[in-house]
Each structure stands twice: as C-alpha cells, then as structure tokens.
Amino acid sequence: MFVPKTGCRMPGLSFAGVSHSWAGEQALANVDLDIADGEILCLVGPSGCGKTTALHLAAGLERLQQGEIRIGDDVVAGSGVHRPPEERSVGLVFQEFALFPHLSVAGNIAFGLSKREAGRAVGGLLAMVGLEGCERKFPHMLSGGEQQRVALARALAPRPRILLLDEPFSGLDVRLRESVRDQTLSILREVGTTALIVTHDAEEAMYLGDRIAVLQEGSLLQIGTPVEVYRQPATAFVARFLGDVNWLHGTAEPGRVVSPVGDVIVGGFRPGERVDVLIRPEGLHLTGTGSGPGARVVERRHVGHSTLVTLRLENGETVRARIPGQTAPEPGRDVRIRFEDDAVLVYPCTHVAEALSRPA
C-alpha cells in the first residue's frame, strides 16, 4: 500500500548563484532560489526565459556550469559534484507524460521499483489518482487526463524527495486541464512532497503555487506569494505577465504622476520624468457623474461573471474596465472614470511589450 509522507519533514530544494548557457546564450543568470520543505513553488515566465533549464539542472539531466544546487542538506550539483538523476531522489512529470507504450498502467507505475515495492505502491497510487481498475490498460487506451495522472503516479511511486513538473497540463484541453489541475493539487497536498512546477501560464501558477518565482531572460525578477506578486509586482514586466493591465504613460510632478486617467499620488520620480502607468481593468470604475476624467464606451463584452468594457479616453487612447455582473454602460455612452489606488502601478519607462512578444 502506498503511504504518503504527510507530517514528515522533507528536504527542500535550493539554487545558489546558478548560471547556465547554451551555445553562448545565457539561459540562467546568477539565480538564487529556495523552496521550503513541502512547499509548492511555481517557476513562471515566457517561452525561452530559462525555466525548463532550471528544472533540468535540478533533475540532473544537464550538468551545472556555475553555482550550486542542494536537495535538503545534500549538494547534488556544483562544487565538483554532479549526482545523476537516479541518485537525487527526484520525481519527474513531463509535458508529454513520456509513458512507456508497451507497458500497462501498472507496469508504468512500477517501472524501476522492486517487486516488493511495486506490490505496496501500485494499488494505493491508482486509488489516489482515481484510476482504480485501470491496472491492465495501456497508455493508448487512456484519455489525456488519465495519462497525466498515470505519469504523476509513476513519479510519486519511489517516494521522491522532490517532485519536478514541466508544463504538466499544457497538452490538455481547457476543461480537462482545470479538473486534472485540481486533482493534482489535491494529491500534492496529501503527499506533502516538495514540488517545483514549471509553467508559462500565470493564472495556473497563481492557482497552484504557495509561492511564485518569475523569470525573464534567465534572471529571477521576483519571488513571493501569489497575492504579493500580483498586487506588488517588482517590475512592469511582472505586472503585465501576471494579468491584464491598461498600459499608459504619464509624467512625474512633485508627489504625483499626471496620467490620462487622472493624477496618481506617488513619489520617487524626477519632475518631468516620463513613466509607465499600469492599471488593472478590475481597478477601474465607471460612473455617470463625478469629477473623474471623461471617456466614451466603445464596446462591451460579457465574459462569464463580469463584463469587459472598452473605453476611449479624451486623448484618444483606449482602456478596458472589468465590471462585475452583466450590467454595463452601452456603447456610445459618455462616462466618468475613477480608479482604486492599489490597482495603479507606476514604473520607470520600460520596453515591456517587446519583451513579452519576443518569440520563443
């Protein structure tokens, strides 16, 4: 019977000064990262930012070039050490699941285990992932979600110290992805294994992670809880990557920034300095009267429990507001805008758009 390690103190994973290059191109630049015992950390960023490289280095699939990686108190890479994957006690779940097509579900889960270990583990793991009765099926007989759950069970079978998941849900359709993601999170909580999940999906990272680490071009920009990183992003790149923003420009004056949607009370900028003003759509509010800047409704789209309203400002720029419910002003109507202070983010001018649209 498979028995999860709930309640045990298990080793964490740490990177210290990790740098790595491919053919002269830097993939990671002096990355420091600590994952606590039993923590789920999501490493997130656009394609080509270095997140999969970090996972491969942690797993031992690539030899570390600079820095040090520890699992618990053990150095597994760096300082003249390179332990192969089989000596690191890591479980791997790949994007493609990588199941053996010629082995049954039970055979896939038991691969690499002794006969005694397999006898104890397979039945319990199948029950844990909701696949009881599927022992004799082969991968081609399973749906994508079922294959993903077999891959997770196989990774957990040897009771790894660290679980590494590389874009584990990206190959699934939207509805299936949500249900499998929920079940995976429940299993990770039950087992209590330290987990590093690599994903390019910011919403997925915020849903799954105890903390999020954001990478851009190999550099670690910010680490924090989902709430911290979303509400207090360290850079304009982080703010835009983690959610929709209206991206405007403003001009700094003493104690404030003048923007197309009104003055923002903020300091720390030189008078006359041009700045980026980022506003979350849910932080914009519309009224029929008031003293706020004027705007005209251009379009409204119902999206589930809210409505996205596109507005044209007096200077010709457009912004979007997210209004709870189905009631929103009709196109052509003139409104006034006000915003919540904590929904407005001000940064020195950057090239966020170019960085986010760069091809993988």
Side-chain angles (χ1 to χ4, degrees):
M1 177 179 180
F2 179 81
V3 180
K5 299 184 191 176
T6 305
C8 297
R9 291 290 295 173
M10 292 181 291
L13 172 67
S14 64
F15 287 57
V18 169
S19 296
H20 200 81
S21 298
W22 298 103
E25 293 290 329
Q26 192 160 48
L28 293 173
N30 197 32
V31 170
D32 293 317
L33 180 64
D34 291 299
I35 307 176
D37 297 351
E39 180 181 28
I40 300 173
L41 185 134
C42 288
L43 189 58
V44 66
S47 297
C49 71
K51 55 188 185 294
T52 296
T53 297
L55 185 140
H56 285 182
L57 291 172
L61 301 176
E62 300 292 339
R63 184 177 288 272
L64 181 63
Q65 295 171 352
Q66 183 178 327
E68 187 176 87
I69 297 175
R70 290 176 176 265
I71 295 178
D73 295 327
D74 300 328
V75 176
V76 296
S79 304
V81 175
H82 176 73
R83 290 193 186 178
E86 63 270 18
E87 295 180 10
R88 296 194 183 195
S89 186
V90 296
L92 289 166
V93 179
F94 295 103
Q95 179 178 346
E96 301 84 6
F97 312 141
L99 299 177
F100 298 112
H102 63 290
L103 294 181
S104 66
V105 166
N108 268 280
I109 295 173
F111 186 81
L113 302 180
S114 68
K115 190 172 183 179
R116 182 179 178 182
E117 290 172 330
R120 289 200 306 260
V122 172
L125 282 165
L126 283 171
M128 182 180 290
V129 300
L131 291 175
E132 304 98 318
C134 294
E135 295 90 336
R136 298 183 180 181
K137 290 186 177 181
F138 287 84
H140 73 273
M141 303 166 68
L142 305 176
S143 68
E146 290 170 335
Q147 290 183 36
Q148 197 275 349
R149 285 183 277 163
V150 173
L152 179 61
R154 182 179 64 182
L156 290 171
R159 297 167 60 85
R161 301 165 74 183
I162 305 292
L163 191 62
L164 306 172
L165 302 95
D166 189 6
E167 303 277 6
F169 314 112
S170 62
L172 306 176
D173 65 61
V174 175
R175 288 192 176 182
L176 182 59
R177 184 185 310 155
E178 291 178 356
S179 63
V180 174
R181 183 182 64 187
D182 289 348
Q183 187 171 29
T184 299
L185 180 59
S186 176
I187 291 168
L188 293 178
R189 295 292 186 212
E190 180 180 352
V191 175
T193 301
T194 304
L196 173 62
I197 302 176
V198 161
T199 177
H200 68 278
D201 187 325
E203 181 179 338
E204 184 171 278
M206 288 190 286
Y207 181 84
L208 292 169
D210 297 315
R211 288 188 301 153
I212 299 171
V214 184
L215 275 177
Q216 180 192 16
E217 296 181 345
S219 295
L220 195 56
L221 299 184
Q222 188 172 3
I223 307 173
T225 66
V227 171
E228 289 169 346
V229 177
Y230 185 80
R231 292 187 176 177
Q232 300 172 339
T235 68
F237 178 90
V238 174
R240 191 175 179 197
F241 188 81
L242 290 182
D244 289 341
V245 292
N246 295 296
W247 186 20
L248 304 168
H249 295 292
T251 304
E253 293 187 1
R256 63 175 184 158
V257 164
V258 178
S259 83
V261 293
D263 292 356
V264 183
I265 306 303
V266 63
F269 297 98
R270 300 185 310 273
E273 181 179 354
R274 187 168 169 80
V275 297
D276 289 332
V277 179
L278 279 63
I279 307 175
R280 301 286 186 197
E282 63 269 24
L284 285 177
H285 300 280
L286 311 181
T287 61
T289 60
S291 59
R296 176 162 292 181
V297 176
V298 176
E299 184 181 50
R300 64 179 181 181
R301 296 285 183 184
H302 299 302
V303 284
H305 297 295
S306 63
T307 303
L308 279 178
V309 180
T310 303
L311 305 150
R312 179 169 291 110
L313 303 176
E314 292 173 345
N315 69 352
E317 293 186 83
T318 59
V319 295
R320 292 200 303 176
R322 186 181 295 273
I323 309 298
Q326 302 288 321
T327 303
E330 297 179 356
R333 182 176 172 183
D334 290 328
V335 296
R336 294 285 177 179
I337 294 176
R338 64 177 180 84
F339 56 81
E340 297 178 6
D341 291 340
D342 61 0
V344 182
L345 307 162
V346 182
Y347 303 94
C349 275
T350 60
H351 299 288
V352 173
E354 290 82 349
L356 284 172
S357 62
R358 186 171 299 161

